Amino acid sequence: MDAMVQEDKLDSDDRDFVTALASGLEVILAFDESHPRMTLSEVASRTGMNRAKARRFLLTLHALGYVRKQQRYFELAPRVLQLGYAFLSANNYRSVIQQYLEDITQESGESSSLAVLDGDEVIYVARSAAPHRLMGITLSIGTRLPAAYTSMGRVLLAQLPENELDAFLSRLEVTRYTEKTVTDKDELKQCILEVRQQGYAIADQELDPGLRSLAVPAFDANGKLLGAINISTNAARIDLDTLLTRHLPLLLEKARLIRTNITS
């Protein structure tokens, strides 16, 4: 099975591990949709740092232009977008995949996205949105969702070596989002193994009531895993049979075109 080859990661106690850099990034990541502006105390609490340490990192990020300070509050500055732009620019295949996602939306009438695995979450890196809204939250580039309960997440988890998949499951904090959420870890692993065998994943209202999605892996011409592409729809509008007989062939065809036309 083709999969992205990952180098061994440094342990935090390795002499080459730069703790200050890791802490600075942790401060940036503490800001999110629910915490767009925070006081020093709030940043310290969310990162687990003491106030003195959090203050030094915030002031350094402020000096570098990545954080803005307004009286007692700190917030991310637009310069942070350069970090995300660097990723998108380095992965120039995204514009090609974006066109395929838009083709999927045009042909199916449904939203389509590309996501990659980042830790225990998937992060959206390209998206073509249909007019109808699917979830209570707004899905866009940069949105993060739990990998265990999304079709794209399960497709990407299925590409992991066995030991990495087991490590993921062992640290997973099971959350019941809906009455259909799979909360048994053995059952969840079986779902992922089935995805590995069949080559696609369906998540049926496990993360959000009414949200039904289908995903397949996307590889380049060299067999490198680029991410997962999906079709997401409303369960009241598209039944499972239609998802499999109509939308799965469409997704597989676009995945084939990606593999044929992209060399990264």
Side-chain angles (χ1 to χ4, degrees):
M1 178 181 298
D2 295 319
M4 181 179 293
V5 177
Q6 296 186 359
E7 296 182 359
D8 292 337
K9 294 182 180 179
L10 292 178
D11 294 325
S12 58
D13 57 355
D14 192 288
R15 67 178 183 176
D16 290 326
F17 187 89
V18 183
T19 303
L21 174 59
S23 297
L25 293 173
E26 189 177 351
V27 168
I28 290 176
L29 293 174
F31 294 88
D32 58 21
E33 185 177 9
S34 301
H35 305 84
R37 300 175 72 241
M38 291 187 285
T39 64
L40 169 59
S41 296
E42 289 171 331
V43 172
S45 176
R46 279 184 58 77
T47 58
M49 300 178 188
N50 60 49
R51 282 173 51 89
K53 184 176 180 180
R55 178 177 179 274
R56 289 198 301 272
F57 284 113
L58 283 168
L59 293 180
T60 299
L61 290 168
H62 179 259
L64 293 172
Y66 291 106
V67 164
R68 294 190 297 206
K69 185 176 185 297
Q70 297 181 347
Q71 297 181 338
R72 297 175 54 243
Y73 290 92
F74 295 88
E75 62 185 17
L76 295 183
R79 190 175 185 182
V80 170
L81 294 173
Q82 292 181 352
L83 301 176
Y85 180 74
F87 169 80
L88 296 177
S89 298
N91 294 279
N92 54 16
Y93 57 80
R94 188 190 65 88
S95 60
V96 179
I97 294 181
Q98 178 67 40
Q99 184 58 59
Y100 288 129
L101 299 181
E102 292 174 6
D103 290 344
I104 290 170
T105 298
Q106 184 175 6
E107 294 176 44
S108 69
E110 306 297 338
S111 296
S112 182
S113 305
L114 168 73
V116 297
L117 192 63
D118 185 26
D120 296 344
E121 299 175 310
V122 292
I123 180 168
Y124 283 61
V125 296
R127 179 164 169 79
S128 172
H132 33 264
R133 189 169 179 177
L134 297 172
M135 298 181 64
I137 63 172
T138 300
L139 297 176
S140 59
I141 294 174
T143 295
R144 307 175 74 92
L145 295 176
Y149 308 115
T150 62
S151 60
M152 289 191 291
R154 288 181 183 173
V155 160
L156 296 171
L157 290 170
Q159 309 305 312
L160 295 178
E162 203 70 22
N163 63 323
E164 292 185 28
L165 176 58
D166 288 339
F168 165 82
L169 291 168
S170 67
R171 67 176 178 267
L172 176 66
E173 294 184 7
V174 175
T175 302
R176 182 177 291 280
Y177 292 95
T178 74
E179 61 180 15
K180 292 196 171 187
T181 303
V182 176
T183 56
D184 181 86
K185 290 189 177 183
D186 290 335
E187 184 180 352
L188 180 58
K189 181 175 183 179
Q190 188 57 41
C191 288
I192 295 170
L193 293 179
E194 288 177 3
V195 170
R196 183 183 292 173
Q197 182 177 19
Q198 65 193 15
Y200 67 87
I202 291 178
D204 187 15
Q205 305 177 78
E206 291 192 48
L207 184 62
D208 192 74
L211 177 65
R212 182 172 283 159
S213 63
L214 167 74
V216 300
F219 298 94
D220 72 3
N222 297 316
K224 175 185 175 183
L225 180 66
L226 302 177
I229 57 174
N230 85 334
I231 287 177
S232 50
T233 186
N234 189 292
R237 188 173 60 254
I238 302 295
D239 58 32
L240 289 172
D241 184 62
T242 301
L243 206 60
L244 287 172
T245 59
R246 210 159 160 204
H247 294 329
L248 179 57
L250 175 60
L251 267 188
L252 291 174
E253 172 60 14
K254 299 307 179 186
R256 185 191 68 79
L257 290 172
I258 289 170
R259 188 158 193 162
T260 300
N261 296 317
I262 294 179
T263 303
S264 62

